[in-house]
Amino acid sequence: MINQESLMNVDFRTEQKIVLAIWVTAVIIILSVYCLNPEYFNFLKFGPFAEKYYFTALLVYFIVLSLRGLTLLPSTPVLIAGILVFNPYHVFFVNISGTLLSAILVYRYSGYLQLGDYFESKFPAEILWVRNLFREREIPVIAGWSVCPFTHTDVIIYVSASLNIRLKKCLAGVLIGESFINAFYIISVTNILGL
């Protein structure tokens, strides 16, 4: 049973506060640059580099996808840019791999910061509701969230980690949901643009 009094006094260690401050600062800077200068995030400019150094460009694309989850930037623009630059089969497998690695990083990061304890102390009723939603349905809930085009998969990973849902279940749900939505986007964009 969770000790409510101990949760109300959740206290981050100094190193956790420093990491959290750096992360929040980085996210604010990246989102500010993204909003003020979206041309810096135009992956279509990446095309000439990808034509000349295809597999190196694919590796850079994978790294961007893997780290993107920590910034809370949406993955859809990155996916669409990838479709326009790379072979659709490569985009699918690299995107799924990058999304899974991103999910692992987000899950571990959330655990390191003990966000579960923090959220439970601040929002006990909401956390109880989410726990009941997840009970015995972790994979379908995560997959359903991941397949929705207007939801952030990273958010459900943060929530799952804070609720101590096993990483394997999180990854299974993300794999199922992201496979469907990525396939849908890749097929749709390639058919619409005749790629």
Side-chain angles (χ1 to χ4, degrees):
M1 189 73 180
I2 297 171
N3 183 340
Q4 194 70 11
E5 189 174 289
S6 68
L7 286 175
M8 296 308 284
N9 299 319
V10 173
D11 190 29
F12 292 116
R13 295 187 315 261
T14 302
E15 68 184 49
Q16 289 173 314
K17 288 179 183 177
I18 292 169
V19 169
L20 186 60
I22 291 170
W23 176 67
V24 168
T25 303
V27 169
I28 290 170
I29 290 170
I30 290 169
L31 289 176
S32 297
V33 172
Y34 182 72
C35 292
L36 297 173
N37 298 303
E39 66 274 5
Y40 292 156
F41 294 86
N42 185 349
F43 279 92
L44 297 180
K45 294 179 181 177
F46 195 55
F49 176 78
E51 286 179 19
K52 191 170 184 181
Y53 306 104
Y54 187 81
F55 289 104
T56 303
L58 209 53
L59 177 63
V60 170
Y61 179 71
F62 171 76
I63 292 169
V64 168
L65 285 166
S66 300
L67 298 178
R68 181 211 45 78
L70 296 173
T71 65
L72 299 177
L73 288 172
S75 63
T76 304
V78 179
L79 171 64
I80 292 172
I83 295 167
L84 298 175
V85 174
F86 301 111
N87 175 299
Y89 295 106
H90 294 160
V91 171
F92 179 82
F93 289 109
V94 170
N95 208 69
I96 294 298
S97 301
T99 300
L100 290 175
L101 180 56
S102 177
I104 292 169
L105 293 174
V106 166
Y107 186 94
R108 296 291 184 209
Y109 183 73
S110 180
Y112 169 75
L113 289 179
Q114 298 173 334
L115 294 180
D117 294 342
Y118 174 78
F119 290 134
E120 193 131 12
S121 70
K122 299 294 182 190
F123 311 103
E126 291 84 351
I127 293 296
L128 180 62
W129 180 82
V130 173
R131 276 190 199 281
N132 289 333
L133 175 68
F134 269 99
R135 187 164 288 130
E136 303 299 321
R137 299 182 296 253
E138 294 99 342
I139 293 174
V141 169
I142 295 168
W145 183 283
S146 298
V147 80
C148 289
F150 303 108
T151 59
H152 232 311
T153 301
D154 307 315
V155 172
I156 199 68
I157 297 302
Y158 279 111
V159 170
S160 299
S162 70
L163 295 175
N164 295 319
I165 293 171
R166 291 178 43 210
L167 179 58
K168 288 180 183 178
K169 288 186 175 185
C170 290
L171 294 178
V174 168
L175 178 63
I176 293 166
E178 288 290 330
S179 293
F180 281 113
I181 195 69
N182 278 283
F184 171 77
Y185 278 130
I186 290 169
I187 291 168
S188 299
V189 171
T190 54
N191 283 336
I192 289 170
L193 298 178
L195 299 174

